[in-house]
Structures are given as C-alpha cells and as structure tokens.
Amino acid sequence: MEIGLDIFLQVVVWGLYAGCIYILLATGLNLIFGVMKVVNFAHGQLLMIGAYVTFSFFVLTGFNPYVLLAASVPILIILGVSIERLCFRPIMGTGKLNEIFISIGLIYILENVAAMIWTDEWKVIKSPFEAITVTVGSMKIPVDYIIIIITTAVTLVALYLFLKKSRLGLAVRATSQNRKAAMLVGINVERMDMLSFGIGAGLAGAAGTLWVVSGQVFNPYMGSVPAVKAFAIVIIGGLGSIPGAIIGGLLLGIAENFTVFTIGGAWKDAIAFLILIIVLVLKPTGLFGEKAE
Amino acid sequence: MLMDEKNRVILFICLAVLAFAFLLPLATGQNAYYLTVLILMVIFIIFASAWNFLTYSGQGSLGHAAFFGIGGYISALVAMKSGLTPYLTIFFGGAGAALTGLFIGAICVRMKEWFLAMVTFGFAVIIQVLVASQFREITGGWDGIAAPPLISSSVPNYLLYEYYSILVIAVAVLLLFRYILQSKTGLAFSAIRENELEARAAGIDPVRYKLFAFMVSAFFAGLAGALEIHYLGYITPEIFGVDISFWPIIYSISGGLGTLAGPVIGTIVITLLWDGLQSLGLTYPRFIIIGVILVLVVIFLPRGLVSLPGEIRKRAPGWMAWVHKRIPR
C-alpha cells in the first residue's frame, strides 16, 4: 500500500500518543525493578485501579478528567506504598519465584476488589475536548492527543529532575546501582523500595487516567493487555533502563499504529509480542540493556 | 524390594488415597455434582503437576494457559474433523502444545526467570487475542466451538467412566514424572536448578535439559487442556485466561513447590475451598480470598502445605511453652 508523507506523519503522531500510556507503565516497572529487583506483574492492575479512581471522581464531581490526575496519582502512590509494605517487604530476598507469586496474588485481589466495587461491565467516559482538533499542515490532530503527550513529557521530565538533581533521587539511583554499598553509606534502602514502588504505582495511576481520558474502554480485567505491552517495552528497552523504556514505548506505539493501518486492527495487540520475540532472539539483553541480569 | 519406613508409609497413604478416589463416586451414589468436581479436580492435578514439573529444572511459567488451550483447540479440531475418539486426539493436543512449548522455551532458555515469566505471561494473553479475532474462521471467535465428548452421554454411567479414565491417566502421568525425576534426568534438573554454571562444568548441557522440561511440561498441560474441553463439550478463548495460567501455580505453591505431592494436595484443598466458597455465594470475594491465601502462604509457609506437619512439629514446643506460661497455677 502506498503511504503518503502526511499519512505517515499522522500515524507517527497517533503512535506517540498511544506510546505515552505504555511509557508511563514501563517507566514505573523499570524504576521498581532498578531499585528492588522485582518485576511487579500486577502493574497493569494498578493502571486499571487508576482508571476507575478517575472514573469515580469524574462521576462524582464532574471535573475535567485531566484535573483528576491530582486524585489518581496520590491515591495510587498510597496504594503502591501499602502494597510494598504489606506484600513485598516480608519476602524481599527470599527468591524470585516468591516475588512473582506475590504479584499473582495481587492480580487476583485487585481485579476482584474492583469488580466488587465497580461491577465487571465495560465503562467509558468522554473527554470534554473530544471534538476539538488542531490542524498542523495537512494533519488533523485531536487536542486530547497533544495534551496527553505533553502531560507524559512533563511527568517524565519531573521524574528525571527528581532522580538527577535531588538528594533523595541520588539515594534512589545509588540503591539501584548497588544496594549493599548504598546501605553502607547510610541510605535507608527499605525506604527507597517504598519510594520507588510508590512512584511506580503513581505513574501507573497517571497512565490509568490518560487511558480513561483518551476514550478507551475499561473493565476490572483489562489490566493484562497493557501490562504485557509494558513488559514487551521493558524487555525491548532493557530491564531497568528508563531511557530504554521511553524509546521502546514510542517505538511500540508507532509500530502498533502502522500495524493497524497496514495489516489490520486484530494484530494490534500481537505486534508487541512479535517485536519482543525478534528483539529477544537478536539481542537478549534488550536494545539498551545495561547488563545481563 | 526393600523400603525404609518412611517410603512404606508414603506408599500406603498413596494407595489409600487412590482407593478413596476410586470408591468416593460409588459411595455418593454417582452424584453428578460430586463427579463434576472430582473430574475437574483430577484434570487440574495433571495440569498443576505439569506446571510443577517445569520448576524442577529451575524454570517457571506464568502462561501455561497457552499450552492448556492449544492442547484443547488442537484436540477438539482433530477430533471433529477426523472423527477419532478424544482418547487419541488428546495426544495430538499434547504434541501441539509441546511444539509450542519448544518454540517458547527456545526463545527464553538462556534467560533468567524474569524474562521467561514475562514472555510466557505475554504469550498467553496474545494467543487469546489471536484465537478470538485472527483465527476466527477455524476457532469460532469468542463463541468457541463444540468439542466431541470423551464418552457419549447415551452410554449409561458415562460420567463415572470418564472419571475413572481420567483418574488412570492422572496416575500414569504422576508415575511418569516420578520416574523421570528419579532418573539421571531428574538429577540433571536439580543440578541446573541449584547452579547452572557448576552443572555445565560437570558436563550437563542446561539448554537441552531445560528444553526437555519445557516440552514435557507443555505436553501434559496440553493433554490436561484437551481432557477438560472434551469433558466440558465446548472450548472458547476464555481457556487462555490469566486465571487459567494462575491456577496451577496457586495449586503448586499452596501444596508445596518442587514436590510430587504438592500439586496434588494443593489442587484438592484449594478446589474444595473454592467450591465451598462458591456454595456460600461468594463469587467475587472468593478470588480475593484465594489471592490473600496465596500471599499468606508465600510469606508464612513458603514450602507449602506438605511442610505443614514438619512446621507444626518444629513449633509445637514453643506454642506449648507459650500456653503454659499463661496458665495460672
């Protein structure tokens, strides 16, 4: 099929927007993995909770859903910190399998608590800016996409500044580089675990809000598919590498949209997995993997 | 053959359990509800044992539903197209699952458990999407397809015969696993699990053994899946659901990982609990209860229910002392 430049650009912009949600999820996963050396398999379920928190506040208050980031992020941070304290802290260091099993238990708990509170029907809300588009050259871009891309960029820059410029961020990076040495220089590594899990969950909450705002449907069991894509990004970009997550997320978002455009919508969810397999076969540590784990 | 005291006790318990499993449906007057619970329980014992077999080689999977479902679909399609009895086609299902397992295993074999867990988890989710949408023509999409029954329902007492045949298969599978694990292959598995580098130094090829473990595990997961759908009489993409991947893990962990008895005990206990909670009307809360149990078992009883007697023996003196201190004299 012949694809003109304008269509190409359009697909890239759609891809950037779709990639944003995955980037937020994957960055959180990588931050948690960097510090705790734990992959949180229930990360997609945190996105789902974030989506429902946004939905509830939207129904209750009628605020602009973008403002509700101020509700979903703090609530998810609190949830993340509680999960770290109650579930992961007791089994840290007892073996990777245990950490995987804890995540599985969490998936069951989160999905079904959500189903009890909000029922298991598909829900959707509409963004107030739904009908507004911005014309750039020959492209029509919905203003929602632009807001989502900017929100994600601002969040990531804030995270970057926190990690690079603040003392607390320095401590987080030190813990993720060498846990024992960090302990020796007086860093409370358990507090860093809590902090990184909290931030990771908060990012998932933001992703949940953006999911809802972009008009995508959600139910209590929808968390697995975005989670799988986040895993794919994490593997593609390299486990524990945040720049890898950003580039991997953008690549996946764009690849997905090209798939929809060329092969058909049904393969949209499978393309992440195909890319994943290709990367694993060619470069098992991921494109930006720092070290083999 | 000479056996020490402990082994004789274990053999006796196994035989007693088998006799009980054989007589139970007769004693309850072939109650259809009990038979259904028993049949599904035995199928999941095969499934959980197959999953557990993988962990002997130091690998783990979060997506065994993929093999369970592939086995089911292949067996259903072959049985429908060829008219062969499901008792033969389940082996086609197992073989298809084993080939898929070989493919997934080959991608991940050089990687550590995180990658394997993420890839298998993703594989099950993706295959569900594909089966439901892309391969709709042959799989019937979300509506699914009918699967020929194991034994035609016109045969009197067909449920009882299905139960006995599945029970025989389960016992055969468990004996086969026991045989493999006690052979040199089993030793190689433990060597790889404990320290892959040392195993390689000792002349064991980890890749070969890991792939073998993955294939065997996927084969019997597929076989269990085929048995389930022929028993149910239909198959839908829901067979690839995340919860189907997690059941064998939950059964194996709560029973005791890395033991042959673990998945069996875990399946029996959790299934009974599950059906008990269902009859209390706790449809959603029971998932939460199972999730909480899983978290608690991992934290407080990491070696599962099989380690419970030992744990109690170890801690009982402490408890007794605690009680004695508080009894006023």
Side-chain angles (χ1 to χ4, degrees):
Chain A
M1 195 194 318
E2 201 68 28
I3 297 179
L5 185 67
D6 50 336
I7 296 178
F8 177 82
L9 283 175
Q10 186 122 20
V11 171
V12 168
V13 173
W14 282 348
L16 290 181
Y17 133 78
C20 283
I21 291 169
Y22 305 146
I23 290 172
L24 288 175
L25 265 190
T27 306
L29 271 177
N30 269 337
L31 189 67
I32 296 171
F33 182 83
V35 174
M36 297 172 70
K37 303 289 175 277
V38 163
V39 173
N40 175 27
F41 280 91
H43 218 63
Q45 278 63 35
L46 293 177
L47 178 149
M48 178 271 296
I49 299 281
Y52 272 108
V53 168
T54 314
F55 172 79
S56 298
F57 276 91
F58 179 73
V59 171
L60 283 177
T61 64
F63 282 165
N64 183 320
Y66 288 105
V67 178
L68 295 175
L69 277 174
S72 69
V73 174
I75 290 177
L76 263 288
I77 289 178
I78 294 168
L79 179 66
V81 169
S82 333
I83 289 175
E84 197 281 323
R85 291 290 324 234
L86 293 175
C87 304
F88 283 101
R89 173 106 31 118
I91 51 104
M92 282 291 284
T94 59
K96 287 190 177 109
L97 283 178
N98 282 350
E99 290 149 1
I100 295 175
F101 299 153
I102 289 278
S103 312
I104 294 175
L106 281 173
I107 292 180
Y108 267 65
I109 297 171
L110 293 175
E111 282 189 347
N112 292 286
V113 166
M116 280 174 75
I117 301 177
W118 291 290
T119 75
D120 56 4
E121 272 160 42
W122 290 96
K123 295 222 161 58
V124 66
I125 60 174
K126 288 204 159 67
S127 158
F129 309 130
E130 198 187 22
I132 308 172
T133 56
V134 178
T135 312
V136 182
S138 59
M139 274 192 293
K140 275 203 178 121
I141 305 167
V143 81
D144 277 319
Y145 288 14
I146 296 172
I147 302 177
I148 287 173
I149 293 171
I150 292 173
T151 311
T152 308
V154 169
T155 313
L156 291 175
V157 169
L159 182 68
Y160 176 84
L161 289 178
F162 165 72
L163 287 177
K164 290 280 173 181
K165 303 289 176 191
S166 72
R167 274 189 76 77
L168 204 55
L170 186 68
V172 170
R173 282 189 294 139
T175 315
S176 94
Q177 275 170 15
N178 190 329
R179 198 177 172 88
K180 281 204 184 108
M183 224 185 289
L184 282 176
V185 297
I187 294 170
N188 184 343
V189 291
E190 292 194 326
R191 190 166 294 160
M192 295 306 125
D193 287 350
M194 218 161 79
L195 186 68
S196 62
F197 210 101
I199 296 175
L203 291 174
T209 301
L210 296 185
W211 181 280
V212 171
V213 174
S214 60
Q216 305 191 65
V217 292
F218 53 98
N219 81 354
Y221 308 105
M222 56 68 94
S224 319
V225 173
V228 167
K229 289 176 188 167
F231 294 151
I233 292 165
V234 163
I235 294 177
I236 292 167
L239 202 51
S241 153
I242 291 178
I246 296 171
I247 293 172
L250 293 178
L251 280 180
L252 179 65
I254 294 170
E256 265 189 0
N257 273 284
F258 268 105
T259 316
V260 174
F261 208 77
T262 51
I263 316 177
W267 288 94
K268 178 176 174 247
D269 292 322
I271 195 74
F273 199 70
L274 290 179
I275 298 177
L276 170 79
I277 288 177
I278 294 167
V279 170
L280 278 184
V281 170
L282 297 180
K283 194 167 185 302
T285 52
L287 297 179
F288 299 88
E290 289 148 12
K291 53 185 189 291
E293 208 273 309
Chain B
M1 195 162 71
L2 270 174
M3 276 191 286
D4 58 29
E5 183 77 15
K6 201 180 159 203
N7 277 342
R8 211 173 313 160
V9 171
I10 290 174
L11 180 69
F12 181 74
I13 292 175
C14 289
L15 289 177
V17 168
L18 260 181
F20 183 70
F22 182 80
L23 291 174
L24 191 62
L26 300 177
T28 55
Q30 298 185 34
N31 179 314
Y33 173 70
Y34 290 133
L35 267 173
T36 304
V37 172
L38 281 173
I39 289 175
L40 288 176
M41 194 189 271
V42 177
I43 289 172
F44 271 84
I45 284 176
I46 303 177
F47 189 26
S49 302
W51 185 86
N52 187 46
F53 183 82
L54 190 58
T55 61
Y56 278 96
S57 66
Q59 305 177 91
S61 158
L62 289 188
H64 251 45
F67 308 119
F68 194 70
I70 287 172
Y73 268 105
I74 291 180
S75 181
L77 288 169
V78 171
M80 224 162 43
K81 296 264 149 66
S82 68
L84 285 172
T85 162
Y87 284 112
L88 285 176
T89 59
I90 54 172
F91 293 100
F92 288 97
L99 276 180
T100 320
L102 185 65
F103 171 69
I104 294 293
I107 290 170
C108 307
V109 74
R110 284 177 189 82
M111 282 159 223
K112 287 293 180 184
E113 41 281 79
W114 290 122
F115 283 106
L116 187 59
M118 286 192 274
V119 170
T120 47
F121 183 86
F123 182 63
V125 172
I126 297 306
I127 196 122
Q128 181 180 41
V129 172
L130 286 183
V131 164
S133 58
Q134 205 58 32
F135 303 124
R136 202 184 308 125
E137 309 270 296
I138 40 172
T139 61
W142 280 108
D143 297 331
I145 46 174
L150 282 169
I151 298 170
S152 158
S153 56
S154 56
V155 177
N157 298 337
Y158 73 101
L159 266 183
L160 189 69
Y161 295 132
E162 284 186 351
Y163 169 63
Y164 283 146
S165 64
I166 294 171
L167 191 63
V168 167
I169 295 172
V171 171
V173 170
L174 285 175
L175 288 177
L176 178 72
F177 283 170
R178 192 183 131 88
Y179 173 76
I180 295 176
L181 292 171
Q182 290 196 335
S183 71
K184 270 196 170 155
T185 311
L187 268 178
F189 283 171
S190 356
I192 293 166
R193 188 180 63 230
E194 296 307 330
N195 191 329
E196 203 171 317
L197 209 63
E198 281 176 17
R200 211 179 300 163
I204 297 167
D205 178 9
V207 171
R208 226 184 69 205
Y209 281 102
K210 280 180 157 183
L211 284 182
F212 174 71
F214 217 110
M215 274 181 74
V216 171
S217 175
F219 180 88
F220 287 105
L223 189 89
L227 281 174
E228 195 206 28
I229 59 102
H230 284 300
Y231 161 70
L232 293 175
Y234 64 89
I235 180 166
T236 70
E238 274 170 37
I239 199 168
F240 296 112
V242 173
D243 54 329
I244 304 283
S245 288
F246 290 175
W247 280 125
I249 309 178
I250 291 169
Y251 295 149
S252 303
I253 298 170
S254 50
L257 217 54
T259 58
L260 274 176
V264 181
I265 295 173
T267 310
I268 295 171
V269 171
I270 301 286
T271 314
L272 291 180
L273 183 71
W274 184 250
D275 286 316
L277 292 173
Q278 163 84 318
S279 59
L280 290 175
L282 300 168
T283 310
Y284 291 127
R286 60 182 180 160
F287 279 101
I288 300 167
I289 292 168
I290 295 289
V292 171
I293 287 177
L294 184 65
V295 172
L296 292 180
V297 165
V298 171
I299 296 175
F300 295 108
L301 199 64
R303 283 179 300 132
L305 286 170
V306 284
S307 69
L308 198 58
E311 290 281 320
I312 290 174
R313 218 174 299 142
K314 206 168 68 191
R315 298 198 183 168
W319 292 337
M320 293 305 283
W322 188 86
V323 171
H324 273 290
K325 240 190 280 173
R326 276 157 188 79
I327 296 174
R329 298 195 179 226

